[in-house]
Amino acid sequence: MKNPLLEKFNTLYSSAPFSKIKNEHFKPAFIAGIKISKEEIDQIANNKAVPTFENTIAALEFCSEKLDRISSVFFNLNSAETNDEIQQIAQEVSPMLSEFSNDITLNEELFNRVQLLYDIKDELNLTPEQDMLLNKKYKSFVRNGANLEIHKKDELRKIDTELSKLKLKFGEHVLAETNAFELHLTIKNELAGLPESVIEAAALNAKQKNKEGWVITLDYPSYVPFMMYAEDRNLRKKLAIAFGAKAFKNNKYDNQQIVLDIANYRHKRAVLLGYKSHAHFVLEERMAENPENVTTFLNDILEKATPAAKKEFDQLSEIAKKDGITQLEKWDSSYYSEKLKKELFDLEEEKLKPYFKLENVIAGVFEISTKLYDLQFEEIYNIDTYNKDVKTYKVTDTSGNFIAILYADFFPRPGKRNGAWMTTFKGQWVKDEENSRPHISIVCNFTKPTETKPSLLTFNEVTTLFHEFGHALHGMLANTIYPSLSGTNVYWDFVELPSQLFENWCYQKEALNLFAKHFETNELIPMELIDKIKKSSNFMEGMHTVRQISFGLLDMDWHSKNPSDIKNVKEFELTSFKNTNLFPDVKENCMSTSFSHIFQGGYSAGYYSYKWAEVLDADAFALFLEKGIFDKETARKFKSFVLEKGGTENPMKLYKLFRGKKPDNAALLKRAGLLK
């Protein structure tokens, strides 16, 4: 039987042939891909020629190309289009991949060649990109146990195998819990306060599940508006508790022990490698450098945000008292925030939505990218996709040069995890004088079209689309030689700069006028609404900041100390939150058991990077505001020194080349209204 994953992708632009790939192809493809890669690595390790940059470092960089492609296809599907069979395959192949990764970094002959080159690197006359690659390869060996004694290498292999299984299991549990809950409503009065569009979407949910009435789920487009508008406080409470109790119910999907196991294995691994904690290990390769710097950074912003947060909490409490509520609870926050926003700014989310038809927002994102970076986007229909909802675009520059393929997957479905992310099906690199261009994907969970209305986005969904597209630009405009330094392969606390920077255009009149048009009348968004968006941009910024800081501190508490004494996940979490809590605790809820960013994704000891990158993006956008939001020279510098360069040089050096100076947090605090 032919396996499409093992053949050359002879499709348009060498895109993945999704329609030909069956689940039964994956495991044999992984086994064969690992075998091919091992043979390639053995050739490098056993090469009798004297080690050179090309025959060792560059050769190592470009081997495993087939395995990398198989992995990207499979694990992207496991996030966006999974099922029980794919999850089972993931459990089987993840330990194999972990073992293979260890086979590379614990290969003594290979490491000896890399170390020899590292020791004489000053004599090799390397380019900055080659120097960065050599450093990265050397560190990947050392940071993964190359210098360990034999018995410790075996221990490291066991830890890595267990971690790969645990992280997958964590994500499977969160997805299962998200899909398992639904709030089935059959009485019209229970819908009081909900906008017509939300009611219509809930009716469509019910219809798809062959039920009467209305169904609210834990998917964001269903959950968020219900919490914002539903007048029935008991129903808001029921939904909020269900959302916060994911994988915290002592059932078969419970993640409490998994969280403890992941934290302990990470700590053991770090100590085995000579580090004080997992955070010390991680942050050695970050702009922040160490946990002390992160904690100081987070607490400094917390100190400045807390007075504003308390004032905002009191404002919400006052407005809730009018409804006889003496104690504000977590399920009241969105509801009374929306009421207060209407009172302060005469601005309602539902009044904005008609101006943010999904197709128009996409067109706006494209046009802004054209104005800034000379890109053109053409929807194409001759590329395979993994779901009928996925759109595909050919991206070129204004001279007609091919830049990238873009996949866009916008709506929730049962096999897709919550949230929004950017990912890569194929990276960018230069080999044999050919610049191999990337295949980038953005995946979101937006409000679906109904029988009477197109997909109309909330303003928060608009900023989410811009955010993920900022990441996509980083991937699409990549222009480096080596794949592991290309696109978003940068220090983790630098990776959010392009995404968060791009969100800024959502608040600018010049940009909004390009795409914010009423879906029925085509009327441009009125100036008064733009003014209200800008005035409300800092609304609840204090509470939002404290919430984000609390997540960053929780992450650091899990990962910067020895977790072996932690016996109770909930009690540990309460201690971590004691300086950031505004609302009373909900005993049925636990953040850590569904905190996918740090226990499944790549953000362990790195959640602070959202706030870190906000400092960078506020400082960077200040230059665009000074020069003009579509200033070509400023955009050219950002493209040249940040978007194209990937991880080829130190991020602070790249930032200073763009900005002319180091960033400081004054621009962020000023933008957030926390600094007068």
Side-chain angles (χ1 to χ4, degrees):
M1 180 182 72
K2 278 190 174 180
N3 189 326
L5 288 162
L6 293 171
E7 295 172 18
K8 187 172 170 62
F9 290 178
N10 288 318
T11 53
L12 191 63
Y13 305 109
S14 296
S15 58
F18 290 108
S19 61
K20 293 179 182 174
I21 299 169
K22 306 288 183 279
N23 286 349
E24 61 262 29
H25 291 138
F26 283 115
K27 192 173 177 184
F30 275 111
I31 291 168
I34 288 171
K35 183 173 181 288
I36 293 164
S37 296
K38 280 184 174 179
E39 288 166 0
E40 292 172 339
I41 285 158
D42 284 344
Q43 281 182 350
I44 300 166
N46 301 322
N47 190 343
K48 297 293 183 251
V50 174
T52 65
F53 181 87
E54 286 303 323
N55 73 17
T56 302
I57 305 302
L60 191 55
E61 176 72 353
F62 284 106
C63 74
S64 299
E65 198 177 310
K66 190 173 285 293
L67 181 60
D68 290 344
R69 200 80 196 272
I70 294 164
S71 295
S72 70
V73 169
F74 177 75
F75 286 104
N76 283 327
L77 290 181
N78 193 36
S79 291
E81 187 76 357
T82 197
N83 53 46
D84 290 345
E85 195 179 351
I86 285 180
Q87 290 180 355
Q88 180 56 42
I89 296 165
Q91 286 290 346
E92 292 170 22
V93 301
S94 289
M96 289 160 47
L97 291 167
S98 179
E99 181 73 10
F100 168 67
S101 177
N102 286 142
D103 284 343
I104 299 173
T105 53
L106 301 179
N107 182 319
E108 286 189 35
E109 290 82 6
L110 191 58
F111 177 55
N112 289 340
R113 291 180 72 86
V114 173
Q115 183 159 33
L116 189 149
L117 290 165
Y118 183 78
D119 289 343
I120 59 164
K121 70 187 182 94
D122 292 342
E123 302 165 25
L124 297 177
N125 197 26
L126 301 175
T127 66
E129 186 172 349
Q130 289 172 330
D131 186 63
M132 180 63 84
L133 186 67
L134 175 52
N135 282 328
K136 190 173 178 179
K137 291 294 180 202
Y138 174 75
K139 283 182 181 176
S140 76
F141 279 88
V142 174
R143 287 167 56 81
N144 286 288
N147 286 326
L148 293 178
E149 298 161 20
I150 293 289
H151 70 282
K152 288 187 176 180
K153 286 181 178 180
D154 291 339
E155 191 180 341
L156 187 78
R157 284 178 183 273
K158 287 174 188 167
I159 289 172
D160 286 346
T161 299
E162 285 306 310
L163 277 170
S164 70
K165 292 179 188 172
L166 286 166
K167 288 194 288 184
L168 277 173
K169 188 63 75 179
F170 180 95
E172 288 168 13
H173 286 180
V174 174
L175 181 63
E177 290 274 83
T178 302
N179 289 339
F181 178 86
E182 59 181 46
L183 183 63
H184 184 202
L185 307 176
T186 53
I187 302 166
K188 186 83 175 172
N189 288 350
E190 293 174 321
L191 306 171
L194 294 180
E196 195 53 48
S197 61
V198 178
I199 294 171
E200 197 176 346
L204 189 63
N205 277 343
K207 186 178 177 183
Q208 288 170 346
K209 293 171 184 282
N210 296 316
K211 294 189 174 178
E212 295 295 317
W214 306 267
V215 167
I216 306 295
T217 70
L218 298 182
D219 289 322
Y220 288 132
S222 184
Y223 173 79
V224 172
F226 192 89
M227 296 306 296
M228 194 178 279
Y229 297 112
E231 291 175 7
D232 191 320
R233 193 182 187 215
N234 287 327
L235 289 178
R236 292 203 311 270
K237 177 180 179 180
K238 185 176 181 179
L239 194 65
I241 287 176
F243 191 88
K246 284 180 290 191
F248 184 63
K249 301 196 193 82
N250 293 310
N251 60 9
K252 67 177 179 177
Y253 298 126
D254 193 277
N255 271 342
Q256 291 175 82
Q257 190 58 48
I258 289 175
V259 163
L260 291 171
D261 289 345
I262 289 173
N264 277 292
Y265 274 126
R266 283 173 172 166
H267 183 74
K268 279 180 189 170
R269 188 183 195 282
V271 170
L272 192 65
L273 291 166
Y275 295 86
K276 195 172 170 184
S277 72
H278 178 67
H280 286 85
F281 169 78
V282 167
L283 292 164
E284 183 184 63
E285 292 291 281
R286 300 285 195 269
M287 292 175 80
E289 295 178 346
N290 59 58
E292 294 73 27
N293 287 346
V294 171
T295 306
T296 300
F297 168 75
L298 291 172
N299 282 324
D300 179 54
I301 294 178
L302 178 64
E303 185 186 337
K304 293 177 173 69
T306 298
K310 287 180 174 172
K311 184 180 174 187
E312 290 161 4
F313 185 83
D314 290 342
Q315 282 181 298
L316 292 185
S317 297
E318 283 304 310
I319 201 167
K321 279 178 186 172
K322 296 174 187 174
D323 290 343
I325 293 170
T326 54
Q327 175 60 61
L328 202 69
E329 301 282 358
K330 287 180 180 175
W331 44 86
D332 299 316
S333 180
S334 293
Y335 181 75
Y336 286 105
S337 288
E338 187 61 15
K339 279 198 163 190
L340 184 60
K341 188 194 274 187
K342 187 180 177 186
E343 193 176 285
L344 293 176
F345 306 104
D346 187 27
L347 183 65
E348 295 173 78
E349 198 64 75
E350 283 301 301
K351 280 186 179 172
L352 293 176
K353 280 173 72 174
Y355 294 96
F356 296 124
K357 179 181 169 183
L358 175 59
E359 289 77 4
N360 290 347
V361 181
I362 295 166
V365 160
F366 289 169
E367 192 169 350
I368 290 165
S369 302
T370 302
K371 284 178 172 289
L372 290 170
Y373 306 119
D374 295 325
L375 296 176
Q376 302 283 1
F377 300 84
E378 176 196 353
E379 186 168 5
I380 53 177
Y381 306 92
N382 48 359
I383 284 184
D384 246 348
T385 61
Y386 53 86
N387 186 284
K388 61 180 174 54
D389 284 345
V390 179
K391 294 176 178 290
T392 52
Y393 301 88
K394 177 185 174 184
V395 187
T396 56
D397 63 20
T398 42
S399 302
N401 298 306
F402 176 57
I403 299 296
I405 291 296
L406 175 68
Y407 297 81
D409 180 357
F410 291 122
F411 304 120
R413 52 181 174 269
K416 185 177 181 182
R417 68 177 168 91
N418 246 330
W421 62 96
M422 165 267 182
T423 187
T424 303
F425 279 110
K426 179 194 162 300
Q428 177 274 330
W429 60 81
V430 177
K431 190 179 178 187
D432 300 329
E433 298 186 356
E434 182 199 348
N435 193 326
S436 185
R437 300 308 302 165
H439 298 180
I440 303 299
S441 176
I442 51 173
V443 190
C444 306
N445 281 278
F446 291 150
T447 310
K448 276 186 163 180
T450 64
E451 289 170 358
T452 63
K453 286 192 181 74
S455 174
L456 301 176
L457 305 188
T458 65
F459 189 68
N460 189 50
E461 288 176 323
V462 173
T463 59
T464 296
L465 178 52
F466 271 73
H467 180 100
E468 298 310 329
F469 202 81
H471 280 310
L473 286 167
H474 204 180
M476 291 187 292
L477 288 169
N479 197 24
T480 67
I481 295 169
Y482 304 110
S484 71
L485 300 178
S486 179
T488 55
N489 290 308
V490 298
Y491 278 14
W492 206 266
D493 44 12
F494 195 60
V495 79
E496 295 296 334
L497 168 60
S499 54
Q500 292 182 186
L501 176 70
F502 205 58
E503 288 182 45
N504 286 281
W505 275 265
C506 298
Y507 297 92
Q508 302 301 312
K509 178 180 183 293
E510 250 185 291
L512 285 166
N513 279 344
L514 298 174
F515 66 91
K517 298 166 187 171
H518 197 284
F519 79 101
E520 289 174 320
T521 65
N522 223 26
E523 169 208 3
L524 269 182
I525 189 167
M527 191 60 214
E528 62 178 284
L529 279 183
I530 294 177
D531 287 341
K532 287 172 183 177
I533 288 171
K534 292 197 80 162
K535 282 177 185 169
S536 67
S537 62
N538 294 335
F539 179 64
M540 292 287 135
E541 188 63 45
M543 284 178 69
H544 174 73
T545 299
V546 167
R547 182 171 178 268
Q548 285 294 98
I549 296 294
S550 75
F551 297 164
L553 290 170
L554 175 64
D555 174 29
M556 294 311 293
D557 285 341
W558 273 116
H559 292 116
S560 63
K561 308 175 186 82
N562 184 345
S564 60
D565 291 336
I566 304 168
K567 304 297 179 226
N568 186 300
V569 174
K570 173 75 174 183
E571 285 176 11
F572 175 77
E573 198 171 275
L574 285 173
T575 304
S576 179
F577 284 155
K578 69 179 187 296
N579 294 326
T580 54
N581 254 348
L582 295 167
F583 294 93
D585 177 58
V586 181
K587 70 178 191 302
E588 300 95 331
N589 286 182
C590 182
M591 169 78 186
S592 298
T593 55
S594 60
F595 199 172
S596 298
H597 274 77
I598 69 168
F599 288 112
Q600 184 193 6
Y603 282 84
S604 63
Y607 198 84
Y608 76 92
S609 59
Y610 283 105
K611 274 292 164 203
W612 186 277
E614 271 190 60
V615 170
L616 298 177
D617 101 65
D619 188 68
F621 194 65
L623 185 63
F624 276 99
L625 288 174
E626 180 190 325
K627 303 288 186 183
I629 66 164
F630 292 121
D631 180 61
K632 281 286 190 190
E633 179 56 18
T634 307
R636 184 198 64 75
K637 284 165 70 177
F638 191 73
K639 178 183 173 185
S640 298
F641 296 125
V642 178
L643 298 176
E644 290 186 340
K645 287 282 190 184
T648 56
E649 296 190 55
N650 181 283
M652 188 55 80
K653 180 184 176 185
L654 293 176
Y655 186 83
K656 286 195 289 186
L657 283 170
F658 156 67
R659 191 65 171 90
K661 68 178 185 68
K662 271 188 167 185
D664 60 53
N665 65 11
L668 168 64
L669 295 169
K670 190 175 177 184
R671 182 178 72 183
L674 303 174
L675 192 71
K676 301 302 177 200

